[in-house]
């Protein structure tokens, strides 16, 4: 096995330079064998057909050596050899063949060495990144969250370059079924050179998402990116309040605490299930329908959790005014006055002590998937009507949780990917989600009902998109802004057919050019130049709307017909 001391692998030609270094001895041996053989053939005299002595030229000697050393064989030229020449030729044959075997063996050893192949693959990936002509994101960490984020971004047409230190994850990335060949680099993301190889200083790099399980790695990568490429936004994962404060101290663009996100999702699910369903439909490309979980209005909740996550869930439920019983191995702060039962929740006696027969739901959120599954199976045997919320920690456990028929499965990696994707995909979507947290449940339910009344059937898949009232986004609308009949929000939500039926879509948010937000704008609200609208409706609406907003003649006719109908 060849031991490569891997210097800067990103340097062009480094692999070939290493090959030459490893082949020095074989090449020198081969050259010496040829040189000595040639000199011997030239110095040893031969005899012509008439018995006169002669000496081979260097060209003739090299010619004979070439077909002899390669075992081709061509005879004795230009005259039959003397015994002395034949004796020397025996030395030539064995020495050159052995030299060639040594050289060929060394070449094969180098090219089959895993380290050399890894270096060659690294160089090819770096070369592809450098020649990239499309915008891309760098994703550090290809675990559950990283792989989901890469797939989500692929659905919106954004390419990624992945960094990971584990070979199994790198191999998984190379085998991913995306719409493009994913560039995956095996290396330490904390190494600045590795970040440079991944393209952090590339002019088309759109940002860096740091999603590893280590707060220290995430912090180091974020600081390195801030110094190496100050213009590049950094989205970082955090697992503690201290790390979150540290990341924000040097203006990291987005910091997502995945446990806080999961705890907030639990509170939203219990108190505002419609908002929870709308949120996840908007941020998850795999969810194309509103699927709200029915939450009983009567009954308390049982929370089986421990550590920091238990504290976060307790804080959310107390703030939301939810009645609950905490089951955990460690006693909570007595000042909170919680209804606490010592245990894990895997035993039926513990759950009965928590009054499971009268409970509305149970949250199994320990750090062990086996315990969470045990808690929920035991709970269902005691009360089959429970709302069951499961925390899945390891992606390898996904098949079991998927077939467990639980009401909700909290996949922290997926939650993290959703949060990141919502911010990357569209700033408008992120602004709406911030408004969604403040909206009463009745308003959200009315919004969903309004869309459902416009859909041709309940099974229609949903999608969202952004309309920009600019020359490039909606030229037909811009052309009418200065006319007598100023276009309104509702004029964008109609079909171009003769009767102008309403499209199966609604407007969730309008953002003025000056930054003013208008959630759920009325359809009579007049549009202004620079407005951005977040549309939500059936899949396929975007193409029909884009066609209408791109045709000035068609939109002008629709606008005239609608305003004439309003006057009558």
């Amino acid at each position: 096995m060849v031991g490569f001391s891997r210097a800067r692998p990103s340097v062009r030609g480094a692999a070939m330079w290493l090959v030459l270094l490893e082949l020095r001895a074989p090449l020198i041996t081969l050259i010496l064998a040829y040189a000595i053989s040639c000199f011997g053939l030239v110095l040893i005299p031969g005899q012509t057909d008439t018995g006169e002595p002669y000496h081979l030229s260097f060209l003739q000697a090299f010619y004979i050596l070439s077909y002899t050393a390669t075992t081709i064989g061509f005879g004795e030229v230009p005259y039959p050899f003397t015994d002395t020449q034949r004796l020397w030729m025996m030395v030539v044959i064995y020495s050159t063949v052995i030299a060639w075997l040594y050289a060929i063996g060394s070449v094969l050893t180098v090219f089959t060495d895993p380290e050399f192949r890894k270096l060659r693959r690294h160089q090819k990936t770096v070369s592809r990144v450098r020649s990239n002509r499309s915008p891309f994101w760098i994703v550090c960490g290809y675990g559950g969250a990283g792989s989901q984020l890469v797939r989500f971004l692929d659905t919106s047409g954004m390419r990624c370059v992945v960094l990971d230190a584990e070979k199994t994850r790198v191999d998984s990335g190379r085998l991913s079924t995306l719409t493009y060949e994913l560039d995956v680099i095996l290396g330490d993301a904390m190494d600045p050179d590795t970040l440079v190889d991944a393209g952090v200083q590339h002019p088309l790099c759109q940002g860096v998402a740091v999603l590893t399980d280590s707060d220290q790695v995430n912090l180091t990568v974020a600081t390195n990116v801030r110094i190496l490429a100050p213009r590049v936004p950094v989205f970082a994962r955090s697992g503690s309040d201290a790390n979150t404060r540290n990341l924000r101290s040097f203006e990291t663009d987005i910091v997502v605490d995945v446990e806080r996100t999961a705890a907030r999702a639990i509170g939203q699910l219990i108190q505002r299930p419609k908002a929870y369903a709308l949120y996840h439909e908007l941020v998850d490309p795999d969810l194309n329908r509103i699927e709200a979980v029915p939450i009983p209005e009567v009954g308390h909740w049982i929370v089986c959790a421990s550590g920091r996550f238990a504290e976060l869930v307790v804080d959310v439920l107390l703030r939301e005014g939810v009645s609950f019983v905490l089951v955990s191995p460690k006693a909570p702060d007595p000042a909170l006055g919680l209804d606490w039962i010592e245990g894990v929740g895997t035993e039926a006696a513990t759950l009965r002590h928590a009054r499971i027969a009268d409970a509305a739901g149970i949250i199994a959120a320990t750090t062990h998937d086996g315990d969470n599954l045990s808690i929920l199976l035991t709970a269902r045997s005691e009360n089959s009507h429970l709302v069951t919320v499961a925390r899945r920690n390891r992606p390898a456990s996904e098949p079991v949780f998927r077939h467990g028929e639980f009401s909700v499965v909290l996949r922290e990696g997926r939650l993290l990917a959703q949060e990141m994707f919502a911010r990357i995909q569209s700033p408008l979507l992120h602004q709406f989600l911030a408004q969604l947290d403040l909206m009463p449940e009745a308003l959200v339910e009315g919004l969903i009902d309004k869309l459902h009344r416009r859909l041709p059937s309940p099974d229609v898949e949903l999608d969202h998109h952004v309309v920009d009232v600019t020359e490039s986004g909606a030229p037909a609308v811009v052309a009418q802004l200065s006319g007598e009949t100023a276009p309104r929000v509702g004029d964008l939500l109609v079909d171009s057919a003769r009767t102008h039926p309403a499209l199966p879509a609604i407007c969730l948010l309008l953002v003025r050019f000056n930054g003013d937000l208008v959630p759920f704008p009325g359809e009579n609200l007049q549009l202004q130049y620079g407005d951005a609208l977040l549309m939500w409706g059936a899949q396929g609406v975007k193409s029909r709307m884009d066609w209408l907003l791109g045709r000035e003649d068609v939109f002008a006719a629709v606008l005239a017909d609608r305003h004439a109908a309003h006057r009558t």
Side-chain angles (χ1 to χ4, degrees):
M1 190 69 67
V2 180
F4 289 113
S5 58
R6 191 178 140 188
R8 283 291 296 121
S10 60
V11 178
R12 291 182 181 272
M16 185 55 64
W17 179 248
L18 286 177
V19 170
L20 293 177
L21 288 177
E22 293 298 324
L23 295 183
R24 280 181 301 179
L27 288 176
I28 291 173
T29 302
L30 192 61
I31 291 171
L32 287 176
Y34 267 69
I36 295 172
S37 299
C38 277
F39 271 109
L41 288 174
V42 170
L43 294 176
I44 298 175
Q47 286 185 349
T48 64
D49 293 338
T50 60
E52 296 179 1
Y54 78 97
H55 288 273
L56 293 172
S57 67
F58 279 101
L59 177 61
Q60 290 173 325
F62 187 73
Y63 174 67
I64 295 171
L65 187 60
S66 296
Y67 65 70
T68 302
T70 55
T71 69
I72 295 174
F74 194 64
E76 299 175 348
V77 293
Y79 303 104
F81 290 166
T82 63
D83 290 341
T84 305
Q85 286 179 309
R86 291 191 181 109
L87 182 62
W88 181 249
M89 282 300 300
M90 293 173 61
V91 174
V92 169
I93 291 172
Y94 287 111
S95 62
T96 54
V97 168
I98 292 173
W100 270 113
L101 291 176
Y102 176 38
I104 293 173
S106 299
V107 170
L108 293 177
T109 300
V110 170
F111 280 95
T112 57
D113 182 76
E115 289 297 319
F116 176 79
R117 296 171 65 182
K118 183 171 68 174
L119 176 56
R120 286 291 300 140
R121 180 173 288 175
H122 179 94
Q123 285 188 308
K124 289 179 181 178
T125 303
V126 172
S127 178
R128 283 199 306 268
V129 172
R130 287 175 174 173
S131 61
N132 198 355
R133 295 295 179 266
S134 301
F136 64 93
W137 272 75
I138 298 175
V139 178
C140 300
Y142 197 70
S147 58
Q148 289 285 358
L149 180 60
V150 169
R151 193 170 59 83
F152 287 172
L153 289 174
D154 184 39
T155 62
S156 63
M158 180 65 71
R159 298 173 64 96
C160 291
V161 175
V162 169
L163 282 177
D164 203 292
E166 292 189 19
K167 188 177 184 304
T168 53
R169 291 181 175 180
V170 169
D171 292 340
S172 175
R174 293 193 176 110
L175 296 175
S176 59
T177 56
L178 303 176
T179 58
Y180 63 96
E181 182 181 358
L182 181 64
D183 292 321
V184 188
I185 295 178
L186 176 63
D188 186 357
M190 293 191 294
D191 182 359
D193 288 334
T194 305
L195 286 172
V196 173
D197 287 347
V200 71
Q201 296 176 328
H202 195 290
L204 293 178
C205 179
Q206 303 298 296
V208 178
V210 194
L211 308 176
T212 73
D213 297 330
S214 169
D215 279 352
Q216 186 59 49
V217 172
N218 297 341
L219 178 64
T220 303
V221 173
T223 55
N224 289 345
V225 173
R226 184 59 66 215
I227 295 172
L228 292 171
R231 68 164 187 86
V232 175
V234 180
F235 291 13
R237 173 181 185 171
S238 177
S240 67
D241 295 336
N243 192 60
T244 299
R245 290 191 297 269
N246 201 344
L247 286 165
R248 287 176 175 164
S249 67
F250 54 89
E251 299 180 351
T252 301
D253 298 84
I254 298 295
V255 180
V256 178
D257 186 330
V258 66
E259 288 190 333
R260 283 192 179 276
T261 301
R264 185 190 66 199
I266 290 174
Q268 190 180 53
L269 170 68
I270 296 174
Q271 291 294 80
R272 304 168 62 232
K274 294 287 186 180
Y276 175 89
L278 175 58
Y279 173 90
H280 285 276
E281 194 286 321
L282 291 173
V283 301
D284 195 325
D286 294 336
L287 299 178
N288 300 316
R289 294 183 180 88
I290 291 291
E291 299 177 353
V293 178
I295 302 297
E297 297 182 0
V298 180
H300 65 283
W301 284 75
I302 301 175
V303 179
C304 302
S306 59
R308 179 174 182 262
F309 188 64
E311 296 174 359
L312 294 173
V313 173
V314 166
D315 181 64
V316 169
L317 297 185
L318 288 175
R319 189 167 58 248
E320 297 284 350
V322 177
S323 175
F324 67 95
V325 176
L326 175 64
V327 178
S328 67
K330 183 180 178 181
D333 186 354
L336 297 176
L338 300 180
D339 189 354
W340 169 69
I341 296 173
E342 184 178 5
V344 178
T346 55
E347 298 181 0
T350 305
L351 297 180
R352 292 189 193 115
H353 193 191
R355 309 186 307 278
I356 191 169
D358 302 324
I362 184 169
I363 303 167
T366 72
T367 56
H368 301 287
D369 288 340
D371 286 344
N372 293 337
L373 292 169
S374 176
I375 291 168
L376 295 178
L377 293 178
T378 305
R380 280 205 294 212
S381 67
E382 296 290 323
N383 183 347
S384 60
H385 302 292
L386 284 171
V387 176
T388 51
V389 180
R391 178 188 185 187
R392 192 217 67 189
N393 298 281
R394 299 174 61 249
S397 303
E398 177 60 25
V400 182
F401 282 88
R402 187 169 58 246
H403 290 86
E405 298 182 353
F406 305 121
S407 304
V408 175
V409 177
L410 295 175
R411 303 168 175 89
E412 292 187 357
R414 194 180 192 91
L415 289 174
L416 179 59
Q418 290 171 347
E419 286 284 320
M420 296 285 189
F421 179 65
R423 289 162 169 79
I424 295 172
Q425 183 191 30
S426 167
L428 208 62
L429 175 59
H430 175 53
Q431 290 175 302
F432 173 75
L433 296 177
Q435 295 292 316
L436 182 63
D437 287 338
L438 306 175
M439 296 174 188
E441 181 74 354
L443 179 59
V444 177
E445 186 172 1
L447 175 72
I448 295 174
D449 290 340
K450 180 181 178 181
L451 177 62
H452 281 173
R453 288 193 299 270
R454 294 191 174 190
L455 295 176
S457 71
D459 296 331
V460 172
E461 294 187 344
L462 305 176
D463 198 3
H464 62 273
H465 68 280
V466 175
V467 174
D468 293 314
V469 184
T470 60
E471 288 84 358
S472 59
V477 179
V478 174
Q480 298 296 323
L481 288 176
S482 58
E484 296 181 0
T485 55
R488 305 172 187 272
V489 173
D491 296 327
L492 309 184
L493 298 170
V494 297
D495 202 315
S496 57
R498 183 177 298 275
T499 57
H500 309 314
L503 289 172
I506 60 176
C507 182
L508 295 177
L509 179 68
L510 182 146
V511 180
R512 296 292 189 189
F513 184 73
N514 62 3
D516 290 344
L517 302 180
V518 185
F520 309 136
E523 295 191 3
N524 290 323
L525 180 66
Q526 288 191 357
L527 296 172
Q528 300 176 8
Y529 183 84
D531 286 347
L533 300 93
L534 179 62
M535 301 296 189
W536 180 47
Q539 286 189 356
V541 165
K542 182 181 184 302
S543 59
R544 294 156 66 184
M545 191 177 294
D546 287 346
W547 186 85
L548 174 64
L549 303 184
R551 292 288 302 272
E552 294 185 18
D553 54 341
V554 177
F555 185 73
V558 170
L559 199 61
D561 291 346
R562 282 176 55 82
H563 281 256
H566 283 308
R567 285 196 296 269
T568 58

